[in-house]
Amino acid sequence: MADTLHSRTDALRDILERQYQTHTGQLLELTADSRRPDHGGHDPDTLRALMETARQGIADTAGALRRISEGTYGRCESCGGEIPVARLEILPSARHCVPCQARKRA
């Protein structure tokens, strides 16, 4: 029998919480590097890009955790349909089903 979102929500929440901590730790380290004269070995442009990636990761995971608490997690923000559990297991912060995500990129 296929996993349902309800049966996987706790595991997905745990993954999201770990990802949030990872992104937060990365941003803290990169922020400290940005204050060093040598930028922690990064060129300034790369450092800014890495910091933006960490910020986006924080925002994405925080949004997914918020959707879990609101009861809207696993629903596509575009069409309102269910996001397959398999997609959420690969990308727990997914906000769109695959067809809607593909349309957004087109």
Side-chain angles (χ1 to χ4, degrees):
M1 185 166 111
D3 281 339
T4 64
L5 179 58
H6 181 72
S7 69
R8 298 289 298 144
T9 300
D10 287 340
L12 291 166
R13 181 185 296 113
D14 290 344
I15 291 167
L16 286 162
E17 288 172 350
R18 283 193 306 273
Q19 286 179 350
Y20 185 87
Q21 293 301 322
T22 298
H23 293 305
T24 302
Q26 289 170 340
L27 184 57
L28 288 171
E29 287 179 32
L30 292 166
T31 300
D33 288 347
S34 73
R35 295 184 177 129
R36 293 188 180 110
D38 70 347
H39 300 289
H42 301 287
D43 69 82
D45 291 334
T46 300
L47 187 57
R48 277 191 292 276
L50 291 169
M51 289 174 74
E52 181 54 34
T53 299
R55 282 187 195 101
Q56 188 62 54
I58 291 168
D60 290 345
T61 54
L65 289 165
R66 184 190 75 250
R67 290 190 302 278
I68 288 172
S69 70
E70 293 172 348
T72 59
Y73 183 73
R75 289 266 169 216
C76 177
E77 290 182 4
S78 295
C79 71
E82 289 185 24
I83 299 172
V85 173
R87 175 166 170 72
L88 293 170
E89 287 175 336
I90 294 167
L91 184 63
S93 61
R95 297 172 31 215
H96 304 280
C97 63
V98 173
C100 289
Q101 186 67 45
R103 281 192 292 277
K104 285 181 54 110
R105 289 189 180 158

